[in-house]
């Protein structure tokens, strides 16, 4: 089992930054786009960055398997034996990349077995075009590096009376969120990739991020680390935690990511 320390985190940050330089080169030119079996797009950038990150992580930790969104066809009987593994999304926000919004990222996380559950314990999110780097490690805090400065992301002391700011991916999700809420004053913040919306929550620019629609475990694992370190959490519409590598499928249930776990979210969102 990998020992969580600053050296390991620094190595992962270096890998993700290197991947970001490659991604910038793809972003600067036209690239081929294909549609996968699940009707989501994939580009040559996704595939190249996936292979690049996998190779680098295997060089860093030869005994730790790597699970990538673009290389996840691994039998549950095999991965069920894993004590730890890297989980990566080589291009979180492929549609954002295609649409040229700049709001996409590279995501690397480390998941370790704790008792009967698998727990994300280290994670890095890097948006190379807007130059934002989020990183966190279990019991070591969460941080944002931006404009050459690193600052710690802090816990919310208490919720003041104000509109609830909800990060969403589209207006359709905003409409669905309103249908699921009690009589609560809200404003919506529409933004790009899933991991970057999680980052906005961790920063406190949004109180929560709600997701209607399929995502993969690679979309939420690093967010779990980031939010856990700032007093937040991730839960499904039954207010239960998400799981990692414990099912045949990697598809998450619909979820909410929150900055302040102490709020009565089950009184705010009235999911049926």
């Amino acid at each position: 089992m990998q020992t969580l320390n600053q050296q390991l985190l620094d190595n992962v940050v270096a890998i993700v930054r290197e991947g970001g330089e490659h991604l910038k080169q793809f972003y600067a030119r036209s690239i081929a786009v294909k549609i996968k079996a699940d009707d989501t797009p994939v580009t040559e950038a996704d595939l190249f960055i996936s292979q690049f990150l996998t190779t680098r992580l295997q060089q860093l930790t030869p005994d730790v398997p790597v699970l990538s969104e673009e290389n996840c066809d691994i039998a549950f009987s095999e991965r069920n034996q894993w004590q730890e593994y890297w989980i990566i999304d080589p291009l979180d926000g492929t549609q954002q990349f295609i649409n040229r919004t700049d709001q996409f990222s590279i995501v690397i996380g480390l998941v370790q077995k704790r008792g009967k559950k698998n727990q994300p314990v280290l994670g890095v999110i890097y948006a190379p075009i807007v130059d934002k780097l989020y990183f966190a490690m279990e019991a070591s805090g969460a941080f944002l590096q931006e404009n050459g400065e690193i600052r710690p992301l802090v816990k919310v002391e208490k919720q003041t009376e104000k509109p609830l700011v909800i990060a969403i991916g589209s207006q359709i999700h905003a409409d669905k969120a309103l249908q699921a809420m009690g009589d609560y004053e809200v404003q919506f913040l529409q933004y790009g990739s899933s991991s970057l919306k999680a980052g906005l929550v961790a920063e406190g620019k949004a109180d929560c991020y709600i997701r209607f629609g399929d995502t993969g475990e690679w979309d939420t694992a690093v967010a779990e680390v980031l939010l856990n370190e700032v007093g937040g959490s991730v839960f499904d519409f039954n207010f239960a935690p998400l799981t990692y590598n414990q099912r045949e499928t990697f598809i998450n249930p619909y979820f909410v990511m929150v900055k302040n776990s102490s709020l009565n979210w089950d009184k705010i969102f009235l999911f049926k």
Side-chain angles (χ1 to χ4, degrees), residues 66-75 79 218 248 250:
V66 180
L67 177 69
S68 169
E69 178 181 11
E70 305 309 335
N71 188 18
C72 60
D73 190 15
I74 303 165
R79 51 188 173 83
W218 37 80
E248 291 281 354
F250 292 112

Side-chain angles (χ1 to χ4, degrees), residues 7-23 48-62 66 86-90 106-109 122 124-126 128 133:
Q7 184 63 56
L8 181 65
L9 182 57
D10 289 346
N11 285 330
V12 176
V13 167
I15 290 169
V16 87
R17 281 198 176 278
E18 205 177 340
E21 291 305 308
H22 286 296
L23 199 51
F48 177 90
I49 301 296
S50 179
Q51 185 57 55
F52 169 79
L53 297 179
T54 299
T55 299
R56 282 287 192 271
L57 289 169
Q58 287 174 335
Q59 290 169 345
L60 177 65
T61 55
V66 180
W86 295 106
I87 185 166
I88 64 176
D89 192 341
I106 298 174
V107 184
I108 301 179
L122 178 150
V124 180
I125 299 166
Y126 181 44
L133 177 83

Side-chain angles (χ1 to χ4, degrees), residues 232-272:
S233 62
V234 185
F235 50 79
D236 66 18
F237 285 8
N238 293 315
F239 304 97
L242 304 187
T243 63
Y244 294 90
N245 196 27
Q246 295 190 310
R247 300 169 296 148
E248 291 281 354
T249 180
F250 292 112
I251 298 173
N252 287 319
Y254 298 175
F255 61 77
V256 183
M257 297 182 179
V258 304
K259 167 89 175 184
N260 186 352
S261 292
S262 65
L263 286 187
N264 293 322
W265 291 99
D266 56 343
K267 303 288 192 296
I268 296 171
F269 289 111
L270 309 175
F271 300 120
K272 293 185 174 56

